[in-house]
């Protein structure tokens, strides 16, 4: 038996925690006439339309566990003839309801018990029927759900979608949404934070409608003074929201990370985005009117009222049921005039401040509004419930306005340090800025980020040619550094760079800043410790003793550091330089040290360190040895370094003076050669050669070898850079060194490397191939490697069968890059395989090979080596994207034992080689393509595009000529397409598809269908020359309803030079012109 009842669900809003409660009203006329209920509580009708529910006998009770959390099984169906469309629900109650039903039947027998049981079923069914309501929802969620249900379109009998009907149900749902907003006291901060622009627009428009604002009437044309208080407040709320929304939309918003692609969700998001853009467009058009409305509100001298839940109920009643209360009465929540004006002033100030970026005169209006807001806040106090303004943000606006529009009647005493700094910068009063920064080191009132931004601005002006600012930059940087030190931060890199060359003025200023930045009487121990540590580190970083004594004798230094700490500092500096004598007691100047024998020795040692004149060095050493014979003066400076293969021979000289002189001359010569001071290096080596010729043939040959290396470096750094060939005698000396067979001569490996690299760089391939003695190939691995490289370069133009040398070179490099494996038996008896990174299987280590290659400059040799390593990298089994290179076909295509090759080291070597080759010639398109392929293989698509475009630019005069087809091959174009696709630049993908020999329409069309494109989209249509793609674009925009973009595509397709009837030459010229412009645009984007 089925009992049909007509029920009404009545909703109440709990004011404290906004819990939606339900009550059930059962109409007696629809109950079972034989068993009416004993008592029935009447509930006023709230207006939710009636629901018809079929209560049927419950099914079996084997429903599984779940308790009261299980929802009833509902099968909704429409009942014919019901007003508003009833819903029939077949209910199987959950176990909890079944239990209560059994308890009810146990205690109340007969019809009353059965009815009470079915009443529980009715309650559960009613709650399930309004499934759009969540359990204990937040207020803003209620607003969204109510308005979403009220705005759902309906479907008529012909299955046509109709707009939401204006029936009782939808009006009540909108009223409920307004009641929730009224409960939140119409706080725009809360509403804007949680509601989207379309939802809030719908809510405020409903507020305007229910407040009797005539539709279609401009708010600026309405006199707020004559309107009812609640109506005027509704207009103010809407226009305040309009201004705030416009300002908020101007800020950049980080896009949320998209989840798994779902078509329905994406369509919904796209619709909401388009709706938001349309609303913002209308709001921006009405922005001037909204500002005028808010300005008019400031002239009101009466209190306003905002709707509450009670006033909304009164407005929803029939006119005869209002009992004399109207919306113009004092009903509602009272908003004082000062509170209203304070909030409106702040919103107007933000609007004017935003407009100031295009019209600086408007900043004056913004300043006036913000300072008026501060005055009103002071009057209202902090107990206001309806004036919610972020006072910190307001203070920031006021400071910005002080800077942008300083008041004429304000004095420097009233200005904040922030404003004073900006005024000084505007007037170029940099000394005052420095004084403000020094004073701020005591108060810490200016943010560190602001101080750093001031320094960056000064750096930029200095780099633009204003040399007078160099000193200012140092002083400001010193102030910032002291502030960082006091707050426990590290010293900045900028300060270290500016302090590389200290002088007396810099030291004096730094000490002044330190002294004025700390109050020794009030400072904490941590501040004193930070300052003391900074001064100690400055001393340790100085090499000039005069500057060290300036700091150590300063009053602040003496006060902060105890005697023990100063002694420790002296010990540390002695360890750094064993011949430094520091006076523990503070002295005023270096020259105040009394003259003594030890001082004279120290002065001579100081001169010895600085001098690069060999005859002066000899004279100083003679004087030093005349003063004392117990010292080893070659240890005066720890910067004097001689290779270990030479030091044993030199230190074996018995005469102390000769030993010191030879050691120092060689050490200074090697240092000068390292810093490319070749003239002094040659003088020092020549003097040393003259000295050792008298007593040591071994050292004489050593010096001849070093002078040969010096001459090679001199030529490579001088005339060799312009391509001038070296003198014949230098080439002969290099050959002589390679063929030298003198026993017991200490040789440096770097000289052999440089000699072989020298021969390869100047294309002395014939000598390396045919004239090198056989013993050299066995004893010198660099000669062996050089011979293989020279032979491979010579055989390169020949047929593939004759490239035997290329195979030999391949095997040598593979051996160098192989790892040696060792078997080791563990404690458990198992044998494990151990690999060594640096293998001794090859003729040299990989690090030595890389060091040798970095001495080469000949393009063909570098291309051959790079090609070999690229091929070795591609042989790897798990490689996904091959790297392309020139002459890659000359190498073998496989390796017998892949496991023995250290492919990680190969990959690192390839990257190192490409970086080095591009430093030699950044305009070699082949090397640029290799670099781009490396970035492509490692998923760095933006960098890959940069180098692909650079490769095309260098061989086409920045795309003013056609890029050669052997540079932009189909493989390169396809990789550029993939890069753009993975960067979501889908329009660029479609344009690049035209560059292929056969246009890839499938990829082009698929990319154009993407709506989430991160490129210029329709701005690129002028670069498309294929009519088929343009026609597809026209169809696609027409299908989407994008009229503006469709017109751009039509304009592009309508150009006469793209007419299919044109001669082929005209079409090719049109395509070439568009290729040029597109590639230039891409280059500007990625360079």
């Amino acid at each position: 038996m089925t009992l049909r009842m007509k029920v009404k669900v009545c909703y109440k809003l709990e004011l404290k925690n906004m819990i939606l409660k339900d009550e059930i009203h059962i109409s007696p006329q629809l109950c079972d006439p034989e068993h009416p209920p004993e008592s029935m509580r009447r509930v006023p009708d709230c207006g939710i339309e009636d629901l018809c529910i079929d209560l049927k006998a419950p099914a079996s009770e084997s429903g599984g566990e779940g308790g009261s959390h299980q929802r009833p099984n509902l099968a909704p169906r429409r009942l014919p003839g019901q007003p508003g469309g009833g819903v029939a629900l077949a209910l199987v109650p959950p176990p909890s309801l079944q239990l209560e039903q059994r308890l009810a039947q146990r205690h109340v027998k007969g019809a009353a018990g059965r009815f009470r049981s079915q009443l529980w079923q009715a309650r559960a069914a009613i709650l399930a029927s309004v499934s759009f309501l969540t359990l204990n929802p937040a207020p803003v969620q209620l607003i969204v759900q109510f308005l979403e249900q009220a705005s759902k379109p309906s479907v008529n009998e012909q299955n046509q979608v109709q707009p939401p009907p204006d029936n009782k149900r939808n009006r009540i749902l909108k009223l409920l949404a307004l009641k929730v907003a009224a409960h939140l006291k119409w706080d725009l901060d809360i509403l804007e934070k949680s509601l989207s622009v379309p939802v809030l627009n719908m809510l405020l428009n409903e507020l305007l409608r229910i407040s009797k604002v005539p539709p279609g009437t401009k708010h600026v044309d309405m006199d707020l003074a004559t309107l009812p208080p609640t109506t005027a407040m509704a207009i103010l709320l809407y226009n305040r929201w309009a201004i705030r929304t416009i300002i908020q939309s101007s800020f950049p918003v980080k896009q949320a990370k998209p989840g798994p692609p779902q078509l329905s969700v994406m369509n919904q998001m796209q619709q909401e985005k388009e709706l938001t853009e349309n609303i913002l467009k209308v709001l921006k058009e009405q922005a001037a009117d909204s500002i005028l409305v808010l300005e008019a509100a400031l002239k009101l001298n009466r209190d306003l009222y905002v709707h509450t839940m009670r006033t909304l109920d009164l407005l929803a009643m029939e006119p005869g049921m209002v009992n004399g209360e109207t919306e113009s009465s004092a009903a509602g929540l009272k908003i004082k005039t000062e509170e209203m004006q304070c909030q409106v002033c702040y919103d107007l100030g933000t609007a004017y401040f935003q407009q100031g970026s295009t019209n600086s005169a408007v900043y004056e209006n913004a300043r006036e509004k913000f300072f008026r807001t501060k005055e009103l806040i002071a009057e209202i106090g902090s107990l206001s419930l309806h004036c919610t303004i972020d006072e910190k943000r307001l203070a920031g606006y006021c400071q910005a306005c002080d800077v942008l529009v300083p008041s004429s009647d304000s004095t420097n005493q009233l200005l904040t340090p922030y404003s004073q700094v900006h005024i000084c910068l505007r007037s170029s009063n940099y000394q005052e800025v420095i004084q403000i920064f020094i004073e701020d080191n005591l108060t810490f009132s200016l943010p560190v980020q602001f101080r750093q931004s001031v320094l960056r601005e000064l750096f930029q002006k200095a780099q633009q040619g204003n040399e007078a600012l160099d000193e200012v930059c140092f002083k400001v940087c010193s102030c910032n550094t002291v502030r960082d030190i006091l707050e426990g931060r590290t010293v900045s890199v900028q300060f270290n760079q500016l302090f590389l060359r200290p002088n007396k003025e810099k030291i004096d200023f730094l000490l002044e800043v330190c002294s004025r930045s700390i109050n020794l009487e009030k400072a904490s121990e941590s501040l004193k410790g930070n300052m003391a540590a900074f001064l100690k580190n400055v001393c340790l970083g100085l090499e000039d003793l005069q500057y060290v004594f300036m700091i150590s004798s300063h009053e602040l230094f003496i006060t902060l550091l105890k005697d023990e700490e100063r002694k420790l500092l002296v010990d540390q500096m002695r360890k750094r330089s064993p011949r430094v004598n520091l006076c523990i007691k503070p002295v005023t100047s270096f020259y105040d040290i009394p003259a003594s024998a030890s001082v004279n020795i120290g002065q001579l040692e100081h001169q010895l360190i600085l001098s690069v004149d060999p005859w002066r060095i000899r004279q100083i050493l003679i004087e030093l040895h005349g003063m004392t014979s117990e010292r080893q003066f070659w240890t005066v400076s720890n910067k004097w370094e001689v290779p270990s293969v030479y030091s044993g021979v030199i230190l074996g000289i018995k005469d102390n003076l000769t030993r010191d002189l030879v050691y120092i001359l060689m050490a200074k010569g090697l240092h000068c050669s390292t810093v490319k001071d070749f003239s002094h290096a040659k003088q020092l080596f020549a003097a040393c050669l003259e000295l050792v010729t008298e007593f040591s043939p071994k050292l004489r040959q050593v010096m001849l070898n070093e002078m040969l290396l010096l001459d090679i470096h001199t030529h490579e750094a001088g005339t060799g850079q312009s391509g001038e060939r070296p003198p014949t005698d230098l080439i002969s000396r290099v050959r002589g060194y390679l063929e030298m067979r003198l026993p017991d001569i200490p040789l440096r490996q770097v000289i052999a490397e440089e000699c072989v690299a020298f021969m390869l760089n100047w294309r002395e391939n014939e000598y390396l191939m045919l004239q090198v003695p056989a013993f050299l190939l066995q004893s010198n691995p660099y000669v062996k490697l050089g011979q293989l490289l020279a032979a491979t370069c010579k055989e390169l133009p020949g047929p593939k069968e004759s490239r035997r040398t290329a195979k030999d070179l391949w095997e040598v490099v593979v051996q160098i890059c192989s790892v040696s494996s060792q078997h080791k038996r563990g404690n458990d008896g198992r044998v494990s395989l151990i690999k060594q990174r640096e293998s001794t299987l090859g003729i040299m280590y990989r690090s030595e090979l890389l060091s040798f290659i970095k001495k080469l400059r000949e393009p063909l040799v570098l291309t051959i080596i790079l090609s070999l390593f690229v091929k070795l990298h591609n042989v790897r089994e798990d490689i996904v994207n091959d790297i392309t290179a020139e002459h890659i076909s000359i190498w073998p295509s496989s390796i017998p034992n892949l496991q023995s090759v250290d492919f990680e080291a190969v990959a690192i070597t390839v990257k190192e080689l490409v970086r080095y080759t591009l430093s030699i010639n950044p305009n070699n398109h082949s090397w640029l393509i290799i670099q781009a392929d490396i970035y492509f293989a490692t998923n760095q698509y933006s960098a890959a595009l940069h180098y692909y475009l650079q490769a095309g630019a260098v061989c086409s005069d920045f795309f003013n000529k056609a890029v050669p087809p052997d540079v932009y091959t189909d493989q390169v174009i396809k990789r550029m397409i993939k890069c753009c696709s993975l960067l979501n630049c889908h329009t660029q993908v479609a344009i690049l598809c035209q560059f292929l020999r056969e246009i890839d329409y499938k990829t082009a069309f698929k990319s154009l269908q993407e709506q989430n494109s991160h490129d210029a989209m329709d701005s690129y249509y002028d670069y498309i020359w294929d009519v088929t793609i343009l026609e597809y674009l026209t169809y696609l925009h027409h299908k989407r309803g994008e009229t503006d973009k469709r017109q751009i595509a039509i304009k592009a397709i309508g150009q006469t030079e793209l007419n299919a009837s044109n001669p082929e030459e005209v079409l090719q010229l049109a395509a070439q012109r568009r290729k040029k412009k597109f590639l230039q645009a891409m280059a500007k984007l990625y360079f």
Side-chain angles (χ1 to χ4, degrees):
M1 171 184 175
T2 299
L3 174 66
R4 177 167 294 172
M5 297 185 297
K6 184 175 183 181
V7 296
K8 291 186 178 180
V9 183
C10 303
Y11 297 98
K12 287 186 177 180
L13 291 171
E14 187 76 22
L15 294 182
K16 290 185 178 179
N17 51 10
M18 293 303 299
I19 297 177
L20 195 69
K21 294 187 174 181
D22 62 279
E23 297 178 0
I24 303 174
H25 175 203
I26 305 177
S27 301
Q29 66 270 21
L30 292 182
C31 293
D32 188 348
E34 297 181 1
H35 304 286
E38 298 177 2
S39 63
M40 185 169 289
R41 182 162 56 92
R42 294 283 181 174
V43 181
D45 188 359
C46 281
I48 298 296
E49 61 179 310
D50 301 338
L51 299 171
C52 291
I53 301 175
D54 287 344
L55 300 180
K56 297 184 178 181
S60 62
E61 298 183 5
S62 60
E65 297 182 359
S68 60
H69 297 287
Q70 288 190 359
R71 295 177 58 89
N73 293 328
L74 303 174
R77 59 182 177 84
R78 294 208 171 271
L79 296 177
Q82 294 295 331
V87 179
L89 300 172
L91 171 69
V92 178
S96 61
L97 295 183
Q98 296 177 15
L99 176 61
E100 294 192 34
Q101 178 184 4
R102 291 196 297 271
L103 291 174
Q105 291 176 351
R106 181 180 304 172
H107 292 285
V108 184
K109 303 295 183 181
R114 290 194 302 274
F115 181 80
R116 185 171 300 175
S117 172
Q118 294 193 355
L119 187 61
W120 277 103
Q121 292 181 345
R123 179 185 183 277
I126 292 165
L127 290 177
S129 68
V130 283
S131 58
F132 63 88
L133 295 174
T134 59
L135 184 61
N136 295 350
V140 287
Q141 290 178 347
L142 281 177
I143 295 176
V144 174
Q145 292 169 354
F146 284 138
L147 293 180
E148 182 181 347
Q149 292 296 318
S151 60
K152 277 188 176 180
S154 59
V155 181
N156 60 13
E157 296 178 356
Q158 288 80 24
N159 287 330
Q160 295 177 341
V161 179
Q162 301 293 328
D166 187 17
N167 55 20
K168 187 177 180 182
R169 171 185 179 274
N170 289 346
R171 287 195 297 272
I172 295 302
L173 285 171
K174 293 177 182 178
L175 180 63
L176 288 173
L178 292 175
K179 286 185 177 183
V180 177
H183 168 74
L184 297 174
K185 296 183 175 57
W186 302 100
D187 190 335
L188 286 180
D189 290 333
I190 297 176
L191 296 175
E192 289 172 343
K193 183 178 179 181
S194 305
L195 298 179
S196 63
V197 172
V199 172
L200 195 47
N201 178 65
M202 184 178 178
L203 179 71
L204 294 178
N205 274 293
E206 183 62 22
L207 175 64
L208 294 175
R209 186 193 66 78
I210 206 168
S211 300
K212 304 300 189 293
V213 176
T217 304
K218 289 187 175 182
H219 296 171
V220 71
D221 297 334
M222 303 176 72
D223 187 3
L224 297 179
T226 61
L227 293 175
T230 51
T231 305
M233 194 63 195
I235 293 175
L236 282 185
L237 270 174
Y238 179 83
N239 288 279
R240 279 185 56 216
W241 168 76
I243 292 298
R244 291 160 65 109
T245 303
I246 293 171
I247 295 171
Q248 190 64 32
S249 66
S250 65
F251 299 148
V253 179
K254 182 179 179 181
Q255 293 184 351
K257 187 175 181 180
Q262 297 180 4
L263 187 59
S264 59
V265 176
M266 293 174 64
N267 289 338
Q268 183 179 357
M269 292 174 60
Q270 182 66 22
Q271 291 174 4
E272 183 176 349
K273 180 181 177 182
E274 293 176 356
L275 186 57
T276 302
E277 291 176 352
N278 293 334
I279 293 173
L280 286 173
K281 184 178 180 181
V282 174
L283 294 180
K284 289 177 182 178
E285 292 173 355
Q286 300 174 354
D289 291 347
S290 296
I291 291 176
L292 291 176
V293 170
L294 297 182
E295 288 283 6
L298 296 178
K299 300 175 183 178
L300 294 178
N301 294 321
R302 59 168 181 161
D303 296 336
L304 297 181
Y305 292 85
V306 66
H307 281 301
T308 61
M309 298 174 69
R310 179 173 175 276
T311 59
L312 291 171
D313 277 334
L314 293 176
L315 290 175
M317 289 184 182
E318 298 296 332
M321 301 176 61
V322 180
N323 298 327
E325 293 191 66
T326 65
E327 68 276 5
S328 62
S329 68
L333 187 62
K334 182 179 179 180
I335 307 295
K336 293 183 180 180
T337 306
E338 294 81 5
E339 293 179 333
M340 179 271 292
Q341 290 183 350
C342 182
Q343 197 75 59
V344 171
C345 275
Y346 178 75
D347 292 335
L348 280 173
T350 58
Y352 288 139
F353 192 86
Q354 186 205 29
Q355 294 176 357
S357 59
T358 56
N359 183 9
S360 58
V362 186
Y363 282 128
E364 182 64 41
N365 295 338
R367 187 182 189 281
E368 177 187 349
K369 300 303 178 189
F370 285 133
F371 279 87
R372 177 57 181 160
T373 304
K374 290 183 69 174
E375 295 173 3
L376 290 170
I377 289 177
E379 293 177 11
I380 298 169
S382 59
L383 300 177
S384 174
L385 298 176
H386 313 296
C387 184
T388 56
I389 292 176
D390 186 350
E391 295 191 28
K392 290 185 179 179
R393 193 174 186 88
L394 174 62
Y397 275 125
C398 291
Q399 284 187 346
C401 290
D402 266 339
V403 173
L404 296 168
V405 189
S407 177
S408 58
D409 58 348
S410 63
T411 60
N412 286 343
Q413 285 74 18
L414 300 177
L415 291 174
T416 63
Y418 181 89
S419 304
Q420 292 178 23
V421 169
H422 277 288
I423 293 173
C424 293
L425 288 176
R426 192 181 293 113
S427 60
S428 300
N429 188 1
Y430 301 119
Q431 295 304 320
E432 184 64 26
V433 173
I434 295 169
Q435 296 304 317
I436 294 172
F437 277 20
I438 293 176
E439 294 172 3
D440 181 68
N441 285 349
L442 286 170
T443 60
F444 295 174
S445 59
L446 289 175
V448 176
Q449 295 79 5
F450 170 69
R451 295 173 60 126
Q452 291 173 348
S453 68
V454 172
L455 179 59
R456 282 195 296 269
E457 182 178 344
L458 293 174
F459 269 129
Q460 290 174 358
K461 291 181 180 179
Q463 290 172 356
Q464 292 171 359
N466 192 347
E467 297 181 357
L469 288 179
D470 291 341
E471 181 182 356
V472 176
C473 288
F474 170 76
K475 291 184 176 181
V476 173
C477 185
S478 299
C479 295
N480 289 350
T481 300
V482 173
R483 167 74 178 271
D484 291 338
I485 291 302
L486 292 175
E487 292 186 330
R489 289 185 291 273
T490 58
V491 178
S492 65
V493 177
Q494 293 171 331
F495 177 78
N496 289 328
Q497 291 175 340
L498 294 174
F499 207 62
L500 279 176
R501 296 181 178 177
N503 53 36
K504 185 177 183 300
E505 290 75 16
K506 289 183 178 181
I507 300 290
D508 285 336
F509 179 78
L510 184 61
L511 291 172
E512 178 190 355
V513 174
C514 292
S515 301
R516 294 176 57 185
S517 298
I518 185 170
N519 188 339
L520 294 176
E521 296 178 357
K522 299 180 181 179
S524 63
E525 292 300 324
S526 63
L527 288 180
K528 293 179 181 178
N530 292 339
M531 182 65 77
F534 172 64
L535 292 176
K536 285 198 298 183
N537 289 332
V538 171
C539 287
L540 290 172
L542 293 172
E543 295 184 359
D544 195 323
L545 296 179
Q546 181 181 358
Y547 301 145
V548 175
F549 293 139
M550 285 178 62
I551 297 176
S552 63
S553 62
H554 195 271
E555 181 182 359
L556 179 65
F557 187 88
I558 299 172
T559 306
L560 291 177
L561 273 78
K562 300 178 182 178
D563 292 340
E564 295 79 7
E565 292 176 321
R566 293 202 298 273
K567 289 180 181 179
L568 181 62
L569 176 62
V570 171
D571 293 339
Q572 289 177 346
M573 297 200 69
R574 281 176 176 166
K575 290 178 182 178
R576 185 187 68 178
S577 181
R579 297 304 174 190
V580 173
N581 271 327
L582 282 183
C583 183
I584 298 176
K585 296 182 180 179
V587 293
T588 56
S589 171
F590 173 76
Y591 299 101
D592 291 340
I593 302 175
S596 64
S598 60
V599 172
N600 291 333
I601 292 175
Q603 290 177 345
L604 287 174
E605 288 179 348
H606 185 66
Q607 295 177 24
L608 182 64
I609 292 173
L610 296 179
S611 179
V612 289
D613 182 1
W615 302 111
R616 176 60 182 158
I617 293 171
R618 183 170 186 167
Q619 183 181 1
I620 293 172
L621 283 174
I622 292 173
E623 292 183 27
L624 288 171
H625 278 274
M627 293 180 179
T628 176
S629 59
E630 299 176 355
R631 301 280 295 276
Q632 296 180 346
F633 293 102
W634 61 271
T635 62
V636 166
S637 174
N638 58 3
K639 301 292 184 183
W640 293 341
E641 296 180 355
V642 171
S644 58
V645 293
Y646 299 160
S647 60
V649 180
I650 296 175
L651 296 179
I653 299 175
K654 295 181 179 181
D655 182 67
N656 293 338
L657 174 60
T658 305
R659 180 196 59 207
D660 289 343
L661 183 57
V662 172
Y663 189 97
I664 294 173
L665 288 175
M666 178 174 283
K668 284 180 172 286
L670 291 173
H671 175 73
C672 290
S673 177
T674 303
V675 298
K676 297 186 177 180
D677 184 2
F678 299 123
S679 59
H680 283 117
K682 193 164 187 177
Q683 293 176 12
L684 291 163
F685 281 164
C688 189
L689 175 63
E690 182 180 356
L691 178 63
V692 299
T693 302
E694 300 174 359
F695 65 88
S696 176
K698 185 182 296 185
L699 285 177
R700 176 181 179 276
Q701 187 60 50
V702 166
M703 293 311 304
L704 288 174
N705 295 343
E706 291 296 331
M707 294 187 72
L708 171 62
L709 180 61
L710 178 64
D711 289 341
I712 292 175
H713 286 165
T714 304
H715 180 267
E716 296 291 338
T719 58
Q721 289 188 341
S722 60
E724 181 179 342
R725 283 188 62 81
T728 307
D729 65 323
L730 180 58
I731 297 176
S732 300
R733 289 167 59 197
V734 171
R735 292 182 179 182
Y737 175 82
L738 292 175
E739 299 172 6
M740 181 178 59
R741 299 185 67 177
L742 293 177
D744 301 330
I745 299 295
L747 300 175
R748 280 210 297 159
Q749 177 177 299
V750 66
I751 302 179
E753 292 183 48
E754 292 286 354
C755 287
V756 175
F758 177 83
M759 301 297 279
L760 287 171
N761 288 334
W762 296 107
R763 295 176 290 280
E764 293 291 328
N765 297 336
E766 292 292 335
Y767 171 78
L768 290 173
M769 289 174 56
L770 305 175
Q771 301 177 24
V772 171
F775 75 90
L776 272 182
L777 298 177
Q778 303 297 328
S779 60
N780 194 325
Y782 296 101
V783 175
K784 173 68 174 177
L785 185 62
Q787 183 193 50
L788 293 174
L789 284 170
T792 304
C793 291
K794 183 178 181 181
E795 294 176 357
L796 195 59
K800 189 174 181 180
E801 295 76 13
S802 64
R803 297 172 189 166
R804 173 63 189 170
T805 313
K807 185 178 179 182
D808 295 340
L809 178 60
W810 168 269
E811 292 175 352
V812 167
V813 173
V814 168
Q815 275 192 331
I816 293 174
C817 296
S818 297
V819 289
S820 60
S821 301
Q822 296 179 359
H823 295 277
K824 181 180 179 181
R825 187 176 300 275
N827 294 331
D828 56 355
R830 297 182 179 179
V831 177
S832 59
L833 188 64
I834 301 176
K835 289 186 176 181
Q836 292 181 337
R837 284 294 174 195
E838 288 285 350
S839 171
T840 56
L841 298 176
I843 60 176
M844 65 181 69
Y845 292 115
R846 185 183 61 87
S847 57
E848 295 174 339
L849 172 62
L850 191 59
S851 173
F852 171 73
I853 294 173
K854 288 185 177 181
K855 293 178 171 60
L856 300 174
R857 291 186 299 102
E858 170 60 27
L860 182 58
V861 177
L862 289 174
T863 300
I864 290 297
I865 295 174
L866 199 52
S867 171
L868 189 153
F869 274 97
V870 166
K871 181 64 176 181
L872 187 56
H873 174 272
N874 292 343
V875 170
R876 187 174 180 174
E877 292 179 345
D878 58 346
I879 198 73
V880 177
N881 296 305
D882 285 349
I883 302 175
T884 57
E886 285 186 317
H887 314 302
I888 203 168
S889 61
I890 68 174
W891 312 110
S893 57
S894 62
I895 299 176
N897 188 6
L898 281 175
Q899 290 77 15
S900 64
V901 179
D902 187 357
F903 284 105
E904 293 181 7
V906 171
I908 294 173
T909 305
V910 171
K911 294 177 183 178
E912 288 268 352
L913 291 180
V914 174
R915 190 180 300 114
Y916 169 71
T917 53
L918 288 178
S919 69
I920 296 296
N921 181 10
N923 295 327
N924 188 306
H925 66 82
S926 173
W927 299 344
L928 290 168
I929 291 290
I930 294 174
Q931 180 67 84
D933 284 345
I934 291 173
Y935 280 124
F936 180 82
T938 54
N939 302 328
Q940 301 180 65
Y941 303 112
S942 180
L945 275 174
H946 169 88
Y947 282 98
Y948 283 133
L949 290 167
Q950 189 174 344
V954 298
C955 60
S956 63
D957 191 17
F958 197 69
F959 304 112
N960 286 308
K961 302 175 184 177
V963 180
D966 61 332
V967 177
Y968 274 2
T969 61
D970 272 5
Q971 181 181 358
V972 171
I973 297 296
K974 286 179 180 178
R975 292 191 171 185
M976 293 173 69
I977 288 172
K978 186 173 181 181
C979 289
C980 292
S981 177
L982 292 170
L983 292 172
N984 286 336
C985 299
H986 301 295
T987 315
Q988 296 174 7
V989 171
I991 297 174
L992 286 172
C993 287
Q994 303 173 111
F995 284 63
L996 298 169
R997 288 188 176 87
E998 295 184 4
I999 300 177
D1000 188 355
Y1001 288 111
K1002 181 179 179 182
T1003 303
F1005 292 165
K1006 184 177 179 182
S1007 64
L1008 292 173
Q1009 290 173 2
E1010 298 285 345
Q1011 296 187 4
N1012 186 23
S1013 186
H1014 294 172
D1015 55 22
M1017 299 181 70
D1018 48 355
S1019 300
Y1020 283 145
Y1021 290 177
D1022 289 336
Y1023 304 138
I1024 301 176
W1025 65 85
D1026 186 77
V1027 178
T1028 305
I1029 295 178
L1030 287 171
E1031 289 174 345
Y1032 180 77
L1033 273 172
T1034 306
Y1035 158 75
L1036 193 63
H1037 291 316
H1038 175 73
K1039 181 180 177 182
R1040 294 175 180 170
E1042 298 168 344
T1043 308
D1044 295 342
K1045 295 181 180 180
R1046 179 173 174 268
Q1047 290 300 324
I1048 296 174
I1050 291 175
K1051 181 181 177 182
I1053 202 174
Q1055 299 180 60
T1056 55
E1057 57 186 355
L1058 297 183
N1059 194 323
S1061 302
N1062 290 337
E1064 186 64 24
E1065 295 79 8
V1066 175
L1067 295 176
Q1068 289 293 333
L1069 185 61
Q1072 190 58 41
R1073 186 181 298 114
R1074 284 161 175 77
K1075 282 184 180 181
K1076 165 192 166 183
K1077 291 182 178 178
F1078 172 69
L1079 290 173
Q1080 288 176 344
M1082 289 279 284
K1084 291 178 182 178
L1085 183 63
Y1086 288 100
F1087 280 4

